[in-house]
Amino acid sequence: MKDFSTLEKQLDLKFKNKDLLVQAFCHRSYLNENPNSNLEHNERLEFLGDAVLDLVVAETLHERTPPLDEGRMTQLKADVVSRRTLAEQARRLGLAQHARLGPGLRGRAQSQAVLANLYEALIGAIH
């Protein structure tokens, strides 16, 4: 099992359930290559993290921005939760080094899609 203590220190978090943290970094392609592992893929956490991010960003825009119409807030939220922005945050945190990917994706660990999905799954695990 990978050691996530450095990431926990970096995030200033201590996971009670380390399995959630491991799951957040486990891509379905890894499980295809390791069918006997006891791990679960991160897609459900990614789904949850996406919803949590949407809510937090929407709430923040609603409460902290000058009176903006719904269209402008929607545009700003889309910018904040875009694949590009989430991938940048994942790079900043060094999330790719923790990813469990199948051989076909290992070379793509730094792709925007993979990084953004890891970031969302991590948010889901934190939540």
Side-chain angles (χ1 to χ4, degrees), residues 49-63:
D50 177 65
V52 169
L53 280 170
D54 276 349
L55 175 62
V56 169
V57 172
E59 185 175 63
T60 301
L61 286 171
H62 182 265
E63 292 177 355

Side-chain angles (χ1 to χ4, degrees), residues 16-93:
K16 291 178 187 173
N17 183 349
K18 302 284 190 211
D19 291 341
L20 280 178
L21 187 53
V22 172
Q23 182 182 351
F25 290 94
C26 189
H27 191 271
R28 183 181 291 273
S29 64
Y30 177 83
L31 297 179
N32 290 339
E33 298 296 321
N34 299 280
N36 295 325
S37 74
N38 293 328
L39 300 174
E40 293 183 48
H41 61 77
N42 64 0
E43 291 172 13
R44 290 177 55 87
L45 287 174
E46 182 187 331
F47 172 82
L48 179 60
D50 177 65
V52 169
L53 280 170
D54 276 349
L55 175 62
V56 169
V57 172
E59 185 175 63
T60 301
L61 286 171
H62 182 265
E63 292 177 355
R64 295 189 183 176
T65 58
L68 296 173
D69 63 45
E70 178 197 5
R72 182 66 180 130
M73 286 191 296
T74 299
Q75 185 179 32
L76 287 171
K77 182 173 71 77
D79 289 343
V80 171
V81 300
S82 72
R83 181 177 282 178
R84 178 186 51 78
T85 302
L86 299 182
E88 286 173 11
Q89 292 305 310
R91 275 190 199 95
R92 186 180 62 77
L93 294 170

Side-chain angles (χ1 to χ4, degrees), residues 86-87 90-91 95-96 109-120:
L86 299 182
R91 275 190 199 95
L95 299 187
Q110 293 290 334
S111 77
Q112 276 192 355
V114 170
L115 288 171
N117 293 345
L118 288 173
Y119 190 82
E120 288 175 336

